[in-house]
Amino acid sequence: MFQHILFQNSEGVLRIHLNRMQVHHALHPALISEITEAISTAETDASVRAVVITGEGNKAFCSGADLKATLDSGKSAGELLRTYYNPMILAIRNLPKPVICRLNGLAAGAGASLALACDLIIASDTSYLSQIFVQIGLMPDAGATFFLPRLVGMAKAFELASTGRRVYAEEAFQIGLINKVVPEAHLDQAINEALSYYRSAPTKAIGIMKLTLNRSYQSNLAEMLELEAENQQMLSESPDASEGIRSFLQKKAPEYQGR
C-alpha cells in the first residue's frame, strides 16, 4: 500500500514511520502524499484513538525537503507547498485525534515543521530541531511561521528562524518547543506511556478540544465563549460524556469508547 512509510494500525494506535533512511527521511512529493493519506485513514477509522509519527531507525525524524527531488519535480516552490506540504500540515492539525511526534533524531527545515504540527512532541535527549531554511537563502515554511511564535514567542521565533541554529532537546523543552525529553533508551517507554493514556481517554472530547484550541488565536473572547458553548453542548450528548458522568457519580474508573 505504501512505499515510503511503514504503516501500522493496531490496538487503537496508528503508527507512521517515515522510511527513506538513506536520505534521513527527506520529504519528497510521494512521501508527503503517503503521510497525508495515512492521516486521512486515521480520521475515518473509528478504532484509531491516537497517531504516532516518527522516523524509522534512531538517527533522524526528518531532514526536511529533498532538494534534488524538489528540483527534479518541475514545480515551483509555491506549487510544491500548496500541492503537498500544506495539505499534509492541515491534515494533522484538523485531525480530531491526538497526534504524537516521536522525535528520534534530527528534525530540520520542513521536518521540524512536521514535528511542530503534531499535538505533542516527545523527544530523545540526542534529538534536535533546526529551521535550516536560512542556510540556503529561504524562509521557514510548512507552517513553521505559524507554530514558532505561538510556542516560543516572537523574539525567540525570529532568532531560531533567522539563524537556523540547532535547538537540542533539553533547550527545546525549556523554551516550550517540545513537551517532554527523555534519554534515548527510554523514548519508546515514554511514547507508550502517553499512548496508554490516549488509547483509553475520551477521544471525541479531546478531538473537539484540539479543533477548538486551533481557533483560539483567530477568534476574540466572545467568539471563543460561543464556540465553547456549542461544542460543550454537543459533547454533553455523547456516549463518552454519559459514561464519564455516570462513572464519576459511581466512583469508578470510566471506560471510554472514543464516541
Side-chain angles (χ1 to χ4, degrees), residues 58-236:
N58 59 8
K59 290 185 177 181
F61 173 75
C62 177
S63 60
D66 185 327
L67 292 180
K68 185 178 185 304
T70 297
L71 294 172
D72 291 345
S73 70
K75 292 182 178 292
S76 70
E79 287 177 313
L80 285 169
L81 288 170
R82 295 185 185 100
T83 304
Y84 298 104
Y85 290 84
N86 296 357
M88 173 182 68
I89 299 301
L90 288 171
I92 293 170
R93 291 310 314 154
N94 293 332
L95 178 69
K97 299 176 183 182
V99 180
I100 300 173
C101 168
R102 177 183 176 274
L103 191 61
N104 57 318
L106 75 95
S113 301
L114 174 59
L116 296 179
C118 298
D119 301 302
L120 293 173
I121 301 177
I122 300 176
S124 75
D125 56 1
T126 58
S127 64
Y128 67 86
L129 301 99
S130 170
Q131 296 297 320
I132 201 169
F133 302 91
V134 71
Q135 295 183 15
I136 54 172
L138 297 176
M139 62 168 282
D141 59 26
T145 61
F146 179 90
F147 300 120
L148 279 174
R150 287 162 171 76
L151 291 169
V152 301
M154 188 63 72
K156 181 60 72 173
F158 177 79
E159 175 204 330
L160 300 182
S162 62
T163 65
R165 70 176 179 85
R166 295 181 179 185
V167 184
Y168 283 91
E170 188 57 44
E171 180 189 358
F173 174 72
Q174 293 298 329
I175 65 176
L177 201 58
I178 66 174
N179 299 90
K180 188 173 186 177
V181 54
V182 298
E184 185 176 6
H186 298 165
L187 182 57
D188 284 328
Q189 177 184 338
I191 292 292
N192 289 335
E193 288 172 358
L195 290 174
S196 178
Y197 168 74
Y198 284 111
R199 265 194 297 249
S200 58
T203 309
K204 185 176 181 65
I206 289 172
I208 297 300
M209 188 186 308
K210 171 179 174 177
L211 299 183
T212 304
L213 287 169
N214 281 348
R215 295 273 298 276
S216 64
Y217 281 97
Q218 288 78 44
S219 306
N220 60 37
L221 176 58
E223 290 167 339
M224 289 306 296
L225 289 170
E226 177 56 30
L227 187 59
E228 288 173 353
E230 292 173 3
N231 288 339
Q232 197 75 298
Q233 178 63 41
M234 177 179 59
L235 287 172
S236 71

Side-chain angles (χ1 to χ4, degrees), residues 236-254:
S236 71
E237 300 168 358
S238 70
D240 274 355
S242 297
E243 169 66 11
I245 294 168
R246 182 170 53 251
S247 298
F248 178 82
L249 295 174
Q250 296 175 355
K251 295 181 170 58
K252 69 181 186 68

